[in-house]
Amino acid sequence: MKIYTKTGDRGETGLFGGGRVAKDDIRVEAYGAVDELNSVLGMAAAALEAEDLMPIAEGIRGIQADLLTVGAHLATPTAAEGGRASANIPDLPVDRITELERWIDSSESELAPLRRFILPGGTEAAARLHHARTVCRRAERRAVTLARDADLADEIIIYLNRLSDLLFSLARLSNHRAARQDVEWVTG
């Protein structure tokens, strides 16, 4: 099978659940941002592994699998929207948001409370997690825009919202475990 199909040469792409749209359609923007997030998380996981933070890296790998599910949902219009009646997309496990919240709480229990805003950075792993957080926020914004006109499960937006919080906490935790101070934002 060839990697190129030439079907997108005129600025359109096929959706997972059927139909074609412009490559700058909000649905494509939404799942494209999630795909970018997944790639950025792959780089973060590699940095976490290099810094011997394997449990965090393994958790990130699980999130990457979740993001493939999220992306598939974003890429698939419902039957009422012109998509296939049965696209065979797995559901995002119902307890995943709760698991993210538990991971946030566990991470925060190791950290000193924030007193000021912090600058993204620190170790390479922490910097990559901060980068992933910002890409996650963009993916969330695109999903919110898509949800205005499309039938999108609330869990998708909630998951992305909670994930960005987790990535912030994990960036701080990575710095903490490396005995690296977060850099506080000082004005003036």
Side-chain angles (χ1 to χ4, degrees), residues 3 5 8 47 57 64 72 74 77 82 85-86 91 101 127-128 147-148 150 152 156 165 174 186-188:
I3 191 71
T5 62
Q64 287 184 283
L74 293 171
S86 176
D91 289 328
E101 291 169 349
R128 290 185 184 279
R148 285 192 194 117
L152 188 63
I156 299 293
D165 293 336
S174 297
V186 179
T187 60

Side-chain angles (χ1 to χ4, degrees), residues 115-119 182-186:
R115 305 252 185 260
R116 293 182 174 181
F117 288 109
I118 61 170
L119 302 178
D182 286 320
V183 178
E184 293 183 342
W185 176 43
V186 179

Side-chain angles (χ1 to χ4, degrees), residues 102-170:
R102 270 186 258 163
W103 200 4
I104 292 167
D105 294 341
S106 173
S107 299
E108 291 292 314
S109 72
E110 279 190 53
L111 301 169
L114 277 177
R115 305 252 185 260
R116 293 182 174 181
F117 288 109
I118 61 170
L119 302 178
T123 65
E124 181 177 350
R128 290 185 184 279
L129 288 163
H130 277 297
H131 182 205
R133 173 187 54 80
T134 64
V135 175
C136 186
R137 286 288 188 205
R138 180 163 26 91
E140 178 187 6
R141 290 189 303 270
R142 298 301 182 268
V144 166
T145 302
L146 175 62
R148 285 192 194 117
D149 297 322
D151 186 18
L152 188 63
D154 292 341
E155 292 77 26
I156 299 293
I157 294 170
I158 295 168
Y159 181 88
L160 293 170
N161 185 28
R162 211 64 82 247
L163 177 57
S164 64
D165 293 336
L166 173 63
L167 294 171
F168 179 79
S169 294
L170 292 178

